[in-house]
Amino acid sequence: MVAVHVLNGPNLNLLGTREPATYGAVTLAGVEARLKAKAEAAGVELTFRQTNYEGELVTFIQQAGLAGAGVIINAGAYTHTSVALRDAIKGADAMTIEVHISNVHAREEFRHHSYMAPVCVGVICGFGVASYDLAFDAIVPLLEKRAAKPAA
């Protein structure tokens, strides 16, 4: 069975109340419910987590990657500051898609750089919480293709 871990970083626990003009009114629990329904329909095992701590995100990435699960990550502000998250993705060989609710390239200059993007299979931003759905729809076929490859 294909497995996907959806990992959320700092302040995403405030989704739905934090800056609704930028991030919308849907809560993180709402995002989780949407993805759980998609995963169930697709026969995908879904793990959904949020933490405000960088080291815990590193551990979550390592666990997912070493288990062969795909990762959808919204690292929040850590996207722009964390070499540790980048190294965890690369080190655990985690097939990862970076997501952002807002279009980070239409925002402050410091948000334009991602340390993770170069080691991710893709980046999706600017589609509101639908960015998570788009990432799920993109990563599942990649994981299925990888699972279908014969062992070398």
Side-chain angles (χ1 to χ4, degrees):
M1 175 183 267
V2 169
V4 175
H5 290 218
V6 181
L7 307 179
N8 296 280
N11 299 311
L12 285 154
N13 54 306
L14 301 176
L15 194 60
T17 59
R18 176 184 175 225
E19 301 179 57
T22 300
Y23 300 111
V26 177
T27 65
L28 197 59
V31 174
E32 181 178 9
R34 286 167 51 147
L35 289 181
K36 280 190 173 183
K38 284 179 79 85
E40 188 174 320
V44 172
E45 180 184 329
L46 186 79
T47 300
F48 197 95
R49 294 173 159 171
Q50 187 277 329
T51 182
N52 290 317
Y53 301 100
E54 182 180 22
E56 197 166 22
L57 272 176
V58 168
T59 298
F60 292 166
I61 292 165
Q62 291 173 350
Q63 290 170 343
L66 295 174
V71 173
I72 296 169
I73 187 166
N74 183 343
Y78 290 141
T79 301
H80 321 292
T81 63
S82 182
V83 174
L85 295 181
R86 179 229 178 266
D87 288 352
I89 293 165
K90 182 141 178 89
D93 197 25
M95 183 180 288
T96 303
I97 296 179
E98 176 184 327
V99 299
H100 300 282
I101 295 166
S102 67
N103 179 354
V104 294
H105 301 288
R107 296 185 63 198
E108 303 94 338
E109 181 75 26
F110 71 86
R111 296 186 194 276
H112 297 182
H113 176 75
S114 166
Y115 280 96
M116 298 183 307
V119 295
C120 289
V121 295
V123 178
I124 298 171
C125 70
F127 295 96
V129 295
S131 294
Y132 287 92
D133 298 285
L134 294 167
F136 183 87
D137 292 342
I139 203 164
V140 169
L142 295 174
L143 292 165
E144 289 172 339
K145 183 178 178 183
R146 183 177 70 183
K149 284 186 180 177

